[in-house]
Amino acid sequence: MRSHDETMMLQTPFHSRVAKACELNQWDEWKGYTTPAAYTEVEQEYFAVRNSTGVFDLSPMTKYRITGADAELYLNKVMTRDVRKLNPDRVGYTIWCNDAGQVMDDGTLFNFGENNYRLCSYTRVMDWLQWSAMGFDVEIIDETADFGALAVQGPTSCAVLKAMGFKGIEKLKPFGISHFPFEDAEVMISRTGFTGDLGYELWVEPPKAITLWDRLFDAGSNLGIRAIGGNALEMVRIEAGFLQAGVDFVPAEETVRIGRSRSPFELGLGWLVDFDKGVFNGRQALLKEKREGSRYAFVFLDVEGNKPAEHSFILKGNKEIGTVTSAAWCPTAKSNIAFAQIESKYANSGENLTAEIYYQTELKWTRLLAKCHVIDSPVFSSPKRRQTPAPDF
Amino acid sequence: MTNARYDVVIVGAGHNGLICAAYLAKAGRKVLVLERNEQVGGAAVTHEFSDGFRVSSCAQWLYQFNPNIRAELKLDQYGYELAAENLSTIALSADSNHLTLSSAELNGASVTESDKKAYQLFIKQMLKFSGILAKASERRIPKLLEANWGDRFALFKLGLEMKLLGKEDMQDLLRIALINIYDVLQENFDNDLLKAALSLDATLGTHMGPRSPNTVFSFLHRRLGEVFGFNGVSVVKGGMSTLSQALANAATANGVEIRTAMPVSRINSTADEVTGVTLANGEVVEASTVVSNADPKTTFKSLLGFQKLETGIIRRVSNIRMQGNVAKLHLALDSLPQFDGLDENQSGQRLIIVSTMDAMERAFNSAKYGEYSAQPVMDISIPTLHDKTLAPEGKHVLSALVQYAPYKLAQDWGSVKEDYAQLLVERIDEFAPGIEEQILSWELLTPVDLEREFHLTGGHWHHGEISLDQIMMTRPFPGATQYAMPLTGLYLCGAGAHPGGGVMGLAGKNSAQEILRSNRSKTNLAGKKENVA
């Protein structure tokens, strides 16, 4: 990796292959890294994830290694969930809050056993982690650049990995971690992802990254493998109901204006808050919110028609009660989905609301009042996501 | 064995802890005060530093003790006695043309008529400003966020009081509040010694030079005493311990139990509330309310432990600025030192060595970079001129507050202590020739010693800098105002809480009022109210 004073944009360990595959030459920025928005055609990439295998370079994901005698104790204070319940060789979805009980970020926590953890996050959060570490015996290292990572997601993903020679990979349970020898080194595979389907994430040290990419695409050549960019990932994650930090909520410590951050309860993540475990960041504020009620609620909306309700106001009658944070037409579920934050009293299953959608065709803006209603769960969830042993297709 | 149980446990018997205890006990609470040192009083104590020589160990003057507390706790009945009051300040000049400052007038140092007139106007205006601060000091400071109607009314009152200053004074206050004392004094006066003398009151005990922002505020804070009826500094008979003992007597008379030489090793808590304290000897005392008279850093870091606190609090506590710059020099003298140009009566006043504001600023520069200043600034008291009990017949004690002596010295204080003491004595010798030969013994307490002896983090006697970012609703830190801390049942009552340091007593009194308001101290640990039937 070149340092930032030599280049404006950092490159991932897979960059030479990513750049070659990125025929559209369409790039985005992700925490300082250059990352493809799309390689060839967003729809094709989308359908690769849903019907065969899509490969997403997630190396820019911020990674922290947290070790030391108090690592578990420490993480239990930082995270809202009970980290003690996360067993070794398991990955947990987690969020963390500031003292005001507002979500700073979500991420995944990898337990490597013996007080050795990896935290993956959207934000760079070293400052907060270090402040939180006062009084604990822990060491925190930013290892973002020390590992490249590929998300290998879709119905044939297990078959692809088997074809690569990762024996027994089908037995890996959802949220499990396993290690495999690879080219006189090692690749770590976790059964995790951001697509709501069967899928894995492969973690490798940078010198082996290119070999891993090449062998992966060789093995997947007959199994419909295709590199996917951020745009396709955005479609699948909305379909699968996953929140995106910076899109569906503003990381609390990055907000400038009062009231713009959100609590776990307001994001539908109350299930990640455990009051039985003692002190954790946000506890007092969240207890108060629990007693007094939340301002907002996060809801999935099924919107009539096929115009994505991007950035729409949500109305109850004529009254504005919220806004949409993410929206997409979901091809597999064949539904028009929106994530919205609305006043909490309207967040009832089946509640009929209106999305005020604006869209433009050939410079003509159209205002559309689309009926929508609150639904209980995401529109896409494949049973393969939980099946063990994982199916070949 | 069942644990001892109280309504309220107070950690630390500093003057604020004792005051808080006395008010709580008066209101019927069962109160235990635990003090780590052998004697009560915290930094308001007297000790024998040499055979037969005693001195006020840290604070040496009384100049802003709140008169309502003195009356309400009937301190005069319990031993409160002054040896001298309303002393003037004399700024020493190398040419013996000293400047005497009283709250009404100036004398000496060839001060011009226009400076004298300006001084009266200046003091009058500052007194008006301090008056607003005094009112705010005696009442509950509003929360800024989530304010209830009471809080909003209090904020409104604060604004109204500023408005009632009149247009010109209000404009002046808003203009000078955020600038520095150097500029303000330059605007008002010509005489260098006068400016230096006034700027001492703005910087003493702080990590600020005359040109630092916030020094106007610390000047107003220092001047609170004048609102409370002091016309200059006073000397407590028998040293500061007498005041602390009077407070302890008042507290005990109201039913408070005080245990000295009884260090608390930690404040016990669940995830949400305090449950009492554990003593260094292993004994556990249960209480639904724990009040800490320790400074905020000691309270949160050592007594509660950062593991028990949310990160935002840790960050705020760690960021409290509290770096002491004052050392304390005690000299046991064979006879009365002879200051050039001062008679015996004058020698008993508050003597200050300040030279010029620029010299003081340079002295502060040294402190910024971890060095002690070779041109020290001093605030000198010879208490034996008012109180013969402090030294053997005919002998004297000289006590001096010295700055800038930074807590964070580049070297180890232990290795340079003698050199520094020598430098200080030579400095005094410039004004009192021959004092070196009169010294029978000496003691120097560096900020590191003050930290150790009086458990003041950073050796900072105000438990945190008195500056606009650390006062009122942001003292000790934003979100922890109104004395109640983030853990239910935990309160601060020391100088680290509003309205801050100095032997004033309001932090202790206000804290007691807040505790009584909450009602929690009436409830037992199971959360049931007593005597509900």
Side-chain angles (χ1 to χ4, degrees):
Chain A
M1 185 185 97
R2 287 199 289 163
S3 76
H4 67 88
D5 53 349
E6 293 169 26
T7 172
M8 281 290 284
M9 299 297 293
L10 301 171
Q11 298 176 349
T12 78
F14 304 102
H15 186 75
S16 64
R17 296 299 186 267
V18 170
K20 206 172 154 196
C22 187
E23 293 178 25
L24 292 172
N25 202 20
Q26 211 177 323
W27 300 89
D28 275 340
E29 187 267 353
W30 177 5
K31 292 283 163 192
Y33 284 85
T34 186
T35 185
Y39 286 83
T40 50
E41 173 65 51
V42 176
E43 278 71 25
Q44 278 185 329
E45 293 170 26
Y46 166 85
F47 281 110
V49 180
R50 285 288 176 248
N51 295 336
S52 50
T53 291
V55 178
F56 180 76
D57 179 4
L58 55 87
S59 307
M61 175 78 77
T62 310
K63 311 170 198 77
Y64 297 104
R65 183 65 66 105
I66 298 157
T67 54
D70 290 337
E72 180 187 277
L73 202 60
Y74 161 74
L75 285 164
N76 216 29
K77 192 181 96 170
V78 175
M79 304 301 161
T80 56
R81 66 181 286 172
D82 193 340
V83 172
R84 292 170 302 182
K85 292 178 184 165
L86 181 66
N87 290 322
D89 287 326
R90 301 284 301 162
V91 183
Y93 177 57
T94 185
I95 52 171
W96 53 100
C97 290
N98 62 11
D99 289 26
Q102 303 296 292
V103 177
M104 290 179 61
D105 200 357
D106 63 347
T108 46
L109 187 62
F110 292 66
N111 184 356
F112 299 138
E114 292 173 1
N115 277 310
N116 184 351
Y117 293 86
R118 174 183 292 163
L119 176 66
C120 292
S121 65
Y122 163 75
T123 51
R124 294 279 158 82
V125 72
M126 186 58 122
D127 180 65
W128 182 257
L129 293 179
Q130 291 288 2
W131 273 113
S132 304
M134 289 184 77
F136 291 96
D137 176 10
V138 287
E139 189 185 15
I140 304 157
I141 294 168
D142 184 339
E143 57 177 16
T144 302
D146 301 341
F147 291 91
L150 294 176
V152 181
Q153 305 276 317
T156 63
S157 55
C158 183
V160 172
L161 296 185
K162 273 201 281 189
M164 269 182 89
F166 296 128
K167 264 189 145 160
I169 184 70
E170 70 280 2
K171 285 183 238 138
L172 186 62
K173 290 181 183 158
F175 294 102
I177 300 171
S178 197
H179 300 264
F180 296 90
F182 182 74
E183 299 280 314
D184 70 10
E186 182 190 271
V187 60
M188 185 182 90
I189 301 181
S190 56
R191 188 165 164 189
T192 45
F194 207 44
T195 61
D197 204 332
L198 176 65
Y200 301 86
E201 286 168 345
L202 279 53
W203 310 78
V204 69
E205 288 176 18
K208 301 292 171 200
I210 296 301
T211 318
L212 183 73
W213 177 284
D214 291 345
R215 298 241 331 251
L216 183 68
F217 279 84
D218 281 351
S221 58
N222 289 329
L223 290 162
I225 199 165
R226 179 179 282 277
I228 70 161
N231 294 351
L233 189 72
E234 180 71 1
M235 290 170 72
V236 291
R237 71 103 190 159
I238 292 172
E239 202 169 36
F242 293 123
L243 297 182
Q244 173 64 53
V247 175
D248 297 304
F249 63 92
V250 186
E253 295 285 295
E254 292 177 8
T255 59
V256 176
R257 295 162 186 85
I258 291 174
R260 301 298 166 88
S261 57
R262 294 290 179 264
S263 77
F265 302 122
E266 292 169 342
L267 292 174
L269 300 174
W271 61 279
L272 285 168
V273 179
D274 188 339
F275 289 117
D276 296 331
K277 67 170 187 164
V279 177
F280 63 90
N281 288 336
R283 177 188 173 91
Q284 295 307 324
L286 292 173
L287 278 170
K288 185 163 180 264
E289 185 181 334
K290 202 152 193 194
R291 275 195 310 272
E292 296 175 2
S294 304
R295 302 164 299 172
Y296 305 98
F298 172 87
V299 290
F300 298 122
L301 295 176
D302 190 347
V303 184
E304 75 168 7
N306 60 5
K307 293 280 179 250
E310 283 168 343
H311 312 300
S312 296
F313 285 113
I314 299 299
L315 314 175
K316 178 72 185 176
N318 291 321
K319 184 177 169 248
E320 182 203 320
I321 59 154
T323 51
V324 169
T325 57
S326 286
W329 165 256
C330 300
T332 304
K334 296 196 171 39
S335 51
N336 193 19
I337 291 302
F339 296 180
Q341 285 176 15
I342 61 174
E343 289 174 28
S344 52
K345 63 179 168 185
Y346 298 106
N348 313 306
S349 178
E351 181 92 24
N352 289 310
L353 303 168
T354 306
E356 185 177 349
I357 304 172
Y358 290 83
Y359 67 95
Q360 194 194 40
T361 42
E362 296 180 329
L363 293 182
K364 184 184 183 302
W365 279 99
T366 307
R367 173 172 178 259
L368 178 68
L369 291 174
K371 282 183 191 154
C372 56
H373 65 275
V374 176
I375 56 175
D376 290 333
S377 51
V379 289
F380 179 87
S381 183
S382 165
K384 297 189 193 80
R385 183 181 173 187
R386 293 193 180 78
Q387 251 170 287
T388 310
D392 280 343
F393 184 75
Chain B
M1 185 184 104
T2 54
N3 296 327
R5 185 177 273 205
Y6 292 82
D7 295 332
V8 182
V9 169
I10 298 182
V11 183
H15 71 281
N16 278 312
L18 294 168
I19 288 166
C20 183
Y23 277 100
L24 290 172
K26 261 179 84 166
R29 302 295 182 273
K30 190 183 172 197
V31 183
L32 171 68
V33 179
L34 297 163
E35 169 56 43
R36 176 165 159 176
N37 287 355
E38 299 282 337
Q39 57 170 333
V40 297
V45 289
T46 312
H47 78 290
E48 185 170 307
F49 70 100
S50 178
D51 264 356
F53 291 86
R54 292 186 302 135
V55 69
S56 292
S57 317
C58 185
Q60 63 179 15
W61 304 113
L62 200 65
Y63 54 87
Q64 52 183 197
F65 191 70
N66 185 264
N68 295 335
I69 294 172
R70 178 177 161 192
E72 285 159 9
L73 296 182
K74 301 188 176 73
L75 294 184
D76 294 26
Q77 288 178 28
Y78 292 111
Y80 175 94
E81 193 182 351
L82 298 180
E85 52 191 316
N86 302 335
L87 298 178
S88 302
T89 295
I90 300 178
L92 302 179
S93 167
D95 62 3
S96 303
N97 191 8
H98 307 310
L99 172 68
T100 306
L101 299 93
S102 66
S103 43
E105 56 184 305
L106 296 173
N107 282 299
S110 317
V111 175
T112 61
E113 282 307 310
S114 85
D115 265 358
K116 285 182 182 175
K117 205 172 160 200
Y119 179 72
Q120 286 185 344
L121 290 173
F122 180 74
I123 292 298
K124 202 174 144 197
Q125 192 183 41
M126 292 298 131
L127 195 60
K128 274 175 97 174
F129 296 162
S130 290
I132 295 176
L133 184 60
K135 283 183 194 156
S137 299
E138 288 181 286
R139 67 174 172 237
R140 183 180 215 228
I141 280 298
K143 287 184 178 174
L144 279 180
L145 295 175
E146 299 172 45
N148 57 31
W149 284 109
D151 286 340
R152 286 178 201 176
F153 186 59
L155 268 177
F156 171 74
K157 271 203 289 198
L158 193 63
L160 186 67
E161 280 156 10
M162 283 169 65
K163 187 86 187 157
L164 288 176
L165 282 170
K167 191 175 171 187
E168 259 178 46
D169 281 342
M170 186 178 83
Q171 277 177 352
D172 265 354
L173 177 61
L174 293 178
R175 184 175 65 86
I176 69 172
L178 297 172
I179 63 173
N180 60 72
I181 198 76
Y182 185 99
D183 289 349
V184 171
L185 296 175
Q186 288 289 41
E187 252 175 43
N188 283 279
F189 305 108
D190 295 321
N191 188 289
D192 281 341
L193 193 55
L194 171 61
K195 287 183 276 189
L198 291 171
S199 65
L200 177 67
D201 283 351
T203 54
L204 193 62
T206 69
H207 189 65
M208 298 189 267
R211 280 182 155 143
S212 303
N214 283 313
T215 38
V216 172
F217 181 78
S218 57
F219 183 82
L220 296 176
H221 188 269
R222 168 93 190 189
R223 294 273 153 167
L224 280 175
E226 281 165 60
V227 185
F228 297 156
F230 285 79
N231 285 305
V233 297
S234 300
V235 177
V236 178
K237 173 116 181 154
M240 282 294 185
S241 276
T242 306
L243 171 68
S244 299
Q245 197 51 55
L247 289 169
N249 294 343
T252 313
N254 280 302
V256 173
E257 190 183 331
I258 301 171
R259 293 166 76 184
T260 55
M262 199 54 72
V264 170
S265 61
R266 69 171 180 274
I267 295 172
N268 299 325
S269 61
T270 66
D272 303 312
E273 59 183 359
V274 295
T275 58
V277 297
T278 299
L279 308 183
N281 65 13
E283 204 180 312
V284 174
V285 180
E286 291 179 15
S288 61
T289 300
V290 175
V291 186
S292 176
N293 189 191
D295 69 69
K297 291 202 186 197
T298 303
T299 303
F300 289 108
K301 193 171 183 181
S302 313
L303 293 173
L304 265 172
F306 278 171
Q307 291 199 359
K308 294 268 188 93
L309 293 166
E310 297 187 21
T311 299
I313 308 268
I314 292 172
R315 193 157 62 168
R316 292 190 186 112
V317 169
S318 303
N319 283 337
I320 295 174
R321 290 178 296 112
M322 50 192 308
Q323 194 192 329
N325 273 303
V326 178
K328 190 79 194 299
L329 177 71
H330 301 139
L331 302 179
L333 300 169
D334 195 28
S335 53
L336 184 66
Q338 298 301 316
F339 282 86
D340 282 341
L342 295 186
D343 60 23
E344 187 172 314
N345 174 50
Q346 287 171 319
S347 299
Q349 311 296 307
R350 176 184 180 224
L351 308 181
I352 59 175
I353 298 175
V354 288
S355 62
T356 66
M357 289 200 293
D358 282 335
M360 291 169 76
E361 186 67 30
R362 277 194 290 274
F364 174 56
N365 281 350
S366 305
K368 280 193 287 192
Y369 303 111
E371 295 157 8
Y372 58 71
S373 150
Q375 291 284 309
V377 174
M378 295 195 197
D379 180 337
I380 297 169
S381 155
I382 305 176
T384 38
L385 279 169
H386 309 290
D387 181 356
K388 306 239 175 287
T389 65
L390 295 173
E393 179 90 38
K395 314 268 191 250
H396 284 276
V397 169
L398 183 146
S399 163
L401 299 165
V402 187
Q403 79 181 26
Y404 294 83
Y407 171 77
K408 286 183 187 157
L409 194 70
Q411 303 112 306
D412 175 31
W413 262 116
S415 68
V416 296
K417 208 163 169 174
E418 285 206 26
D419 294 347
Y420 189 56
Q422 182 63 32
L423 183 149
L424 297 175
V425 168
E426 282 167 15
R427 180 76 172 143
I428 300 172
D429 197 82
E430 290 171 30
F431 301 92
I435 195 169
E436 232 183 310
E437 285 74 50
Q438 295 172 289
I439 297 172
L440 300 170
S441 65
W442 60 273
E443 178 187 55
L444 178 70
L445 300 175
T446 68
V448 173
D449 298 323
L450 294 173
E451 177 180 61
R452 192 186 55 250
E453 299 285 330
F454 306 112
H455 319 295
L456 304 164
T457 302
H460 200 295
W461 58 4
H462 289 323
H463 286 194
E465 202 81 302
I466 306 278
S467 57
L468 287 166
D469 58 326
Q470 296 189 167
I471 56 150
M472 297 202 199
M473 48 287 270
T474 54
R475 190 166 188 87
F477 51 82
T481 41
Q482 298 181 348
Y483 307 91
M485 296 299 121
L487 221 49
T488 305
L490 177 68
Y491 293 82
L492 276 187
C493 75
H498 170 76
V503 183
M504 190 190 305
L506 286 175
K509 180 185 171 183
N510 293 353
S511 174
Q513 285 172 340
E514 203 57 43
I515 291 161
L516 294 171
R517 191 194 293 249
S518 87
N519 253 355
R520 178 182 165 91
S521 58
K522 263 193 294 194
T523 62
N524 62 29
L525 284 175
K528 290 177 194 151
K529 287 216 171 114
E530 282 166 13
N531 310 321
V532 174

